[in-house]
Amino acid sequence: MLYYKVGDIVTLKKGHPCGENMWEILRTGVDIKLKCLGCERQIWISRIDFEKRIRKIKEGEKFVSIIHHKKEEE
């Protein structure tokens, strides 16, 4: 299972109809709440669907493939 935190910026497999493909994570749990960074619309998506659709996560100034995403040390 991958770990995400509130405030992470991610890209999904398909873009939003407004044309943007970057999303900010607003809430985590069984469901994930995302906000489109283009039109600021908010959606809820199940964690299972989210983990199927996620492609990249922003680390610093660049996007990294989710396969290479490093879990933060606790």
Side-chain angles (χ1 to χ4, degrees):
M1 184 166 127
L2 301 169
Y3 294 94
Y4 310 99
K5 62 183 188 287
V6 173
D8 281 347
I9 306 295
V10 297
T11 62
L12 301 179
K13 191 182 229 182
K14 292 184 179 178
H16 192 249
C18 74
E20 186 62 62
N21 193 23
M22 292 194 306
W23 300 84
E24 179 182 1
I25 297 176
L26 299 179
R27 190 166 180 183
T28 60
V30 176
D31 293 328
I32 307 275
K33 186 174 186 180
L34 300 172
K35 178 175 78 171
C36 175
L37 295 180
C39 64
E40 305 210 356
R41 181 160 305 223
Q42 296 177 8
I43 63 166
W44 286 93
I45 187 171
S46 70
R47 180 174 283 272
I48 294 169
D49 267 352
F50 178 74
E51 289 189 357
K52 287 180 187 175
R53 294 180 184 188
I54 189 167
R55 290 297 171 244
K56 295 184 180 181
I57 189 164
K58 192 169 188 179
E59 285 185 358
E61 294 298 316
K62 60 182 179 175
F63 282 92
V64 177
S65 175
I66 200 65
I67 297 168
H68 302 299
H69 177 59
K70 296 178 181 80
K71 185 178 106 173
E72 289 189 14
E73 301 292 325
E74 294 178 6

